[in-house]
Amino acid sequence: MELRPIVAEILEYIPTIDFTTTATQVSLFETTIRYLAGMLSAYDLLQGPLSQLSSNVSAVESLLAQSKNLADSLKFAFDTPTGIPANNIFLTTHSTDGSTSNGLATTGSLQLEWQRLSDLTGDPEYGNLAQKAETYLLNPQPAWAEPFPGLVGTRVDITNGLFLDANGGWNGGDDSFYEYLLKMYVYDSSRFGNYSDRWILAADSTMEHLASHPSSRPQLTFLASFTDTSFVNSSQHLTCFDGGSFLLGGQVFHKKEYIDFGLALVEGCHATYNSTVTKIGPEQFSWNTSAITPDQADFYDNSGYYITNPSYGLRPEVVESFYYAFRITGELRLFLNAYFLQFHENPKRLQAIKSIATGLGTLLLPLTQPLGLALASPRYQTLIFREVGHSATNKKVFSLLKF
């Protein structure tokens, strides 16, 4: 939005944050993808295409300094027998919650931020920590933990690096591992070519094995999850990022089949919104016909899914996928505008978005506060409504991290 007073306020506040002390437990994963990613992205933007927003060189440099301070406070989490980090940690005491396992997403979604910090500071330690943990995910053991090529289980033992299950998919807990495989390759294809190999394996297996079409609306495409080699016909709002990942992969690797599949997934996600009375998609849904309750039978017949959790957590994933779809095809401008017209029909939701966007200027949220919607949705909403051609260069959409 290029509001200089807000940029100045944020730059004034960030150096005052003490990243060595918190009153409660924090997540290494959440802190990395929100705080570390946010500061590093802001640093890159203010050093590059948005440099006109601040002439205070020392204030901009404080973004990098505070990124390093935060990483230095977090890095004890990697001090395990394997280097796979503990996720739930206490900064003040440099202790953990005692868990001996970590998740696929929470382990495999640190690499962009920590590698970028190393590249900016010249200190390889940060990237090396994240890359060492990733090696166990790129070379999964035992073999049964990879029931389909490229698709792996969810929990990993941090004491020996072995997977503890063969349950997974693109839902929460696994999702951003696959997202980061592709984005690491986009970040630096010369250093991280092996990441693209794993993403392609996972993408091809997903198209072959996990693509699923509800019986009442077979034109829709959802992604099933898996338990070993059995499939579970349920999904969730978090999974709406999947269409964007395939669209980005299709653009990067020049593969039309990925783009076509990505568009089908975006249409499926849109259907979960378009079918409800409020035009808001549910947190969780299913198309498993053996578990439909009588009160949802008609809804399933009409919609192709039924709701298993009706809550709405202000998820930004759907917006990212819609954004990619528009920028890659140029055919979804009306589709995107129609999605956001629901704000006019839902004044409370629109007011919530406005309140969050207004509050970004202070950044007074505690370290334990989830920032997914606050940091992601307004960004894509702003970009969608910019009058740019779909083939325009993404000059200001180059957040290398959680973008």
Side-chain angles (χ1 to χ4, degrees):
M1 292 179 278
E2 303 185 27
L3 302 176
R4 288 178 62 95
I6 292 179
V7 172
E9 186 177 356
I10 293 171
L11 290 178
E12 181 181 0
Y13 176 73
I14 285 178
T16 69
I17 301 173
D18 180 4
F19 285 124
T20 65
T21 303
T22 54
T24 59
Q25 171 185 290
V26 300
S27 164
L28 172 66
F29 162 72
E30 296 288 354
T31 305
T32 292
I33 69 170
R34 312 301 179 194
Y35 286 83
L36 188 58
M39 290 190 292
L40 290 173
S41 294
Y43 179 79
D44 277 334
L45 287 165
L46 292 173
Q47 288 280 355
L50 296 182
S51 59
Q52 76 278 7
L53 295 182
S54 179
S55 58
N56 189 334
V57 175
S58 62
V60 173
E61 287 298 324
S62 71
L63 291 167
L64 183 57
Q66 281 290 66
S67 296
K68 185 178 184 303
N69 289 338
L70 176 56
D72 286 340
S73 292
L74 295 170
K75 67 184 181 183
F76 76 89
F78 294 89
D79 186 16
T80 66
T82 58
I84 297 173
N87 184 61
N88 301 319
I89 58 178
F90 298 88
L91 298 186
T92 306
T93 59
H94 278 205
S95 59
T96 76
D97 67 350
S99 175
T100 59
S101 67
N102 201 345
L104 182 67
T106 46
T107 302
S109 308
L110 310 172
Q111 289 66 35
L112 274 168
E113 293 83 355
W114 288 70
Q115 186 61 55
R116 184 60 179 162
L117 181 59
S118 278
D119 293 345
L120 289 171
T121 62
D123 185 344
E125 178 187 18
Y126 307 107
N128 288 345
L129 287 171
Q131 300 307 329
K132 182 179 180 181
E134 184 80 357
T135 60
Y136 293 94
L137 311 183
L138 298 176
N139 304 282
Q141 295 295 325
W144 54 255
E146 188 177 4
F148 308 102
L151 296 174
V152 297
T154 297
R155 301 300 299 179
V156 184
D157 191 321
I158 66 176
T159 67
N160 57 26
L162 298 179
F163 274 82
L164 298 172
D165 61 54
N167 311 327
W170 292 66
N171 292 339
D174 304 306
D175 46 1
S176 51
F177 165 69
Y178 299 106
E179 175 189 2
Y180 271 47
L181 289 176
L182 177 57
K183 290 180 178 178
M184 281 297 288
Y185 177 76
V186 172
Y187 175 60
D188 192 332
S189 59
S190 63
R191 284 189 289 173
F192 303 111
N194 58 328
Y195 281 68
S196 71
D197 296 339
R198 292 297 298 184
W199 186 88
I200 290 171
L201 275 178
D204 291 347
S205 287
T206 297
M207 294 171 65
E208 180 177 354
H209 299 290
L210 302 188
S212 182
H213 311 282
S215 59
S216 62
R217 291 188 66 187
Q219 71 273 26
L220 295 180
T221 301
F222 298 135
L223 291 187
S225 54
F226 59 86
T227 299
D228 297 315
T229 55
S230 299
F231 302 108
V232 181
N233 288 340
S234 65
S235 190
Q236 54 189 225
H237 197 291
L238 283 168
T239 313
C240 279
F241 91 95
D242 55 9
S245 187
F246 273 88
L247 288 166
L248 179 60
Q251 186 180 52
V252 169
F253 301 118
H254 307 290
K255 287 196 172 185
K256 185 177 183 297
E257 59 266 37
Y258 291 159
I259 291 178
D260 291 342
F261 190 69
L263 290 173
L265 293 175
V266 171
E267 291 285 359
C269 180
H270 178 247
T272 68
Y273 272 70
N274 205 39
S275 300
T276 67
V277 173
T278 61
K279 305 303 179 186
I280 298 173
E283 179 69 5
Q284 297 178 342
F285 62 95
S286 176
W287 57 104
N288 175 10
T289 55
S290 67
I292 301 175
T293 58
D295 62 315
Q296 295 218 57
D298 288 343
F299 185 85
Y300 173 77
D301 289 341
N302 293 324
S303 305
Y305 73 96
Y306 57 94
I307 297 169
T308 56
N309 183 341
S311 65
Y312 176 66
L314 299 179
R315 303 289 191 184
E317 288 76 16
V318 60
V319 190
E320 179 176 2
S321 287
F322 285 177
Y323 175 74
Y324 280 128
F326 166 63
R327 291 305 295 264
I328 289 173
T329 70
E331 299 174 358
L332 297 182
R333 167 69 73 148
L334 293 177
F335 181 54
L336 293 169
N337 285 345
Y339 169 72
F340 285 102
L341 283 176
Q342 67 183 271
F343 289 152
H344 297 294
E345 301 171 6
N346 293 274
K348 290 183 178 179
R349 185 162 181 248
L350 176 59
Q351 186 56 48
I353 297 294
K354 288 181 176 178
S355 297
I356 290 170
T358 301
L360 286 176
T362 60
L363 285 183
L364 294 176
L365 296 171
L367 197 60
T368 53
Q369 175 72 34
L371 293 177
L373 185 279
L375 297 183
S377 282
R379 173 178 61 212
Y380 286 105
Q381 290 156 4
T382 299
L383 291 168
I384 283 168
F385 288 113
R386 290 179 69 91
E387 290 301 320
V388 295
H390 77 277
S391 59
T393 302
N394 289 323
K395 292 181 179 179
K396 296 176 184 176
V397 194
F398 88 120
S399 168
L400 300 172
L401 311 173
K402 190 71 174 170
F403 71 115

